[in-house]
Amino acid sequence: MTRISVFGIGYVGVVSAACLARDGHEVIAVDVDADRVDALNQGRPPIVEKGLDELLAEVVASGKLRATTDAQQAVMDTDASFVCVGTPSAPDGSVGLTYVISVCEDIGRALRAKDAHHSVIMRSTIVPGTMEEVCIPTLEKASDKRAGTGFGVGYFPEFLRESTAIEDYADPGLVVFGSLDPETEAVLTEVNADLPCEMHRVDIRTAEMVKYTSNAWRAAKISFANEIGNIAKANKLDGQKVMGILQSDHKVAMSPAFLRPGFAFGGSCLPKDVRALRSVGRQCRVATPILDAILEANSEQIVRAEDMVRSASKKAVGLVGVSFKSGTDDLRESPLADLAARLIESGQDVRIYDPYVSTAFENDPGAEGRGNAVVPGLAGRMERDLDALIDRSEVIVVGNRYPEVQDRIAERGSDRRIVDLTRIDPGRLSGAEYQGICW
C-alpha cells in the first residue's frame, strides 16, 4: 500500500482521501483551513455526501487518515501527493489556476528538502497543456529539481458525481491517467488495480482532454435533451417519451443518464469546464458554436422556468431544492439558486425546502457549498417543514427530487399550481394546474 497526501479537503479531496484510506492506504489530508483540518481529525466531514459520515469516522478512528495544515511534513511523510483543489472559472471564462499554482509551489518547496522519490499527481480539472505549461514549471522552480527524474508527475482526472461519489469511486465508468515516469505509473496502477473497469494509460495531455471532453459531452446531452423537450411540448408531445425512445438504442446512444429533458445543468464542473474548453478554442482560433450554444441554451432554460413560475404566481413561491442536484448541499453555479435569485429580484416571496442545504447550515453556517451568495438571505428562507412550505405557497416549484415530495404535494398541494422541473410523476403531463418544463 502507498502513503498518500491529498491536498485540498473539498468535495473531491475528502472523498478521495476517505476512499483511499478505506482501501488500505495511509493518507494525510492537507488544507490551509485549520477549522476544516480539525473537523476532519475528529471524523467530521466538511461536506454533506451520502455515506461519508460513517466512512470518515471509520478511517479516522483506524488511524488510516489524518489531516494537517503542514504541507512540508505531509510531503516528507508520504510517497505521492494527490492535488484536489478547485479550479473555478477566471473572469474571462478560462480555467482558474490560483489554487493549483499555490499548491504546486507548496509541494515544490517541500520536495527541495526531500531526497526520496515523490510523485505529484494532479486530480484537479485543468485544460490540456496545463501540466506541461504551468504545473511542471512551477514544481521545478520551487523544488530546483527536474520533473520525471527529480520527482514524479501524473495527471489522474476524477469522474465522481456528487451524492453518489463514494459509489462512483468504487465502481467508476472510466479510469484514465498519464504519467512522466514509471514510479508514478506504478502508484496509479496500484490505486486503481481492483476497480471493475479498464485502465487507460495515456499521455498527460490526452488525460487532461478526456476530462473536459467527458464534462462537455454530458453538458451537451443535457441541453440537447432540453431543447428537444421544449420543441416536443410546443407540439403537444411528451419530450421525455421522445427521448426515452431514443435511449432504447443502446448501440448508438452511449448512455441515457443525461438524455432526460428537464432543468438546466449546474454544479462545480459542467458550467466552468464548458467555458474553459471554449476559451481553449478561442486561444487556438477554433470556432466553438456548439459550446457557445450549450451555455446559451442552459441560460435560456433558467429563463424559461422563471417565466413559467412568474405566470403561475402573484407572490408566494415554494421552491423544493436549491442545490445544483438532489442529494448534495452544493450550490456552486446551481441553476435553482439562480432561479430563486431571479424570482426574488422580481418581487416574489420565495421560501425553500432543501434538507441537505438545511443540514449543512445547521452543521456549519460557513460550510463549503453555499459560498456563492447568489440567493439573498438564503439561511432565512430555508424551511424544514415541507407541509408548511406547501401551505404558504401559491405555486410550488419542484427543482430537486426528494422521496417525500411527490406524496406530500399530491396530498396537500392539489389546490396549488405546480411547476415541475424534475418530473416527480412520470405519468403526468402539463395541464391547468400543473406545468412540466419539458412535458
Side-chain angles (χ1 to χ4, degrees), residues 132-359:
E132 293 177 7
E133 298 166 12
V134 178
C135 298
I136 290 175
T138 302
L139 288 162
E140 289 181 332
K141 181 178 179 181
S143 67
D144 197 27
K145 294 181 178 181
R146 187 170 181 81
T149 54
F151 59 91
V153 172
Y155 183 66
F156 174 35
E158 53 79 23
F159 299 95
L160 306 178
R161 299 169 296 173
E162 293 183 28
S163 78
T164 57
I166 293 174
E167 293 98 320
D168 289 345
Y169 194 98
D171 186 15
L174 173 64
V175 169
V176 60
F177 56 79
S179 58
L180 287 186
D181 55 288
E183 293 89 349
T184 300
E185 181 175 339
V187 169
L188 290 170
T189 299
E190 179 187 7
V191 166
N192 294 290
D194 297 327
L195 297 179
C197 64
E198 180 183 356
M199 279 187 276
H200 298 273
R201 298 174 177 86
V202 297
D203 61 275
I204 286 176
R205 277 182 177 257
T206 297
E208 291 170 325
M209 188 63 183
V210 168
K211 171 63 175 178
Y212 273 98
T213 302
S214 173
N215 281 1
W217 173 230
R218 284 184 285 155
K221 289 191 287 185
I222 292 170
S223 289
F224 174 75
N226 286 341
E227 187 164 301
I228 294 300
N230 295 340
I231 295 169
K233 181 181 176 182
N235 285 275
K236 304 187 184 310
L237 299 170
D238 183 344
Q240 289 194 353
K241 182 177 182 179
V242 171
M243 293 304 297
I245 293 171
L246 183 66
Q247 291 169 36
S248 68
D249 181 5
H250 295 289
K251 182 177 181 179
V252 177
M254 291 182 67
S255 168
F258 297 96
L259 290 172
R260 185 178 184 274
F263 195 41
F265 60 79
S268 61
C269 295
L270 301 189
K272 76 177 181 64
D273 291 348
V274 174
R275 288 195 298 266
L277 196 55
R278 184 177 63 169
S279 177
V280 172
R282 287 200 301 268
Q283 293 168 14
C284 300
R285 297 185 179 180
V286 174
T288 56
I290 293 178
L291 297 179
D292 296 344
I294 287 171
L295 296 175
E296 180 180 354
N298 204 52
S299 295
E300 284 299 318
Q301 201 71 352
I302 300 174
V303 172
R304 179 181 179 86
E306 180 187 4
D307 290 343
M308 291 171 64
V309 176
R310 292 179 64 180
S311 67
S313 170
K314 295 180 181 178
K315 189 72 174 178
V317 176
L319 178 61
V320 177
V322 72
S323 61
F324 89 93
K325 64 181 287 190
S326 301
T328 178
D329 64 322
D330 194 353
L331 274 83
R332 287 177 291 181
E333 301 210 42
S334 167
L336 289 172
D338 192 350
L339 174 62
R342 289 168 181 255
L343 293 170
I344 292 166
E345 184 178 355
S346 69
Q348 305 287 322
D349 178 15
V350 179
R351 298 284 295 178
I352 300 167
Y353 174 83
D354 191 314
Y356 287 85
V357 175
S358 291
T359 298

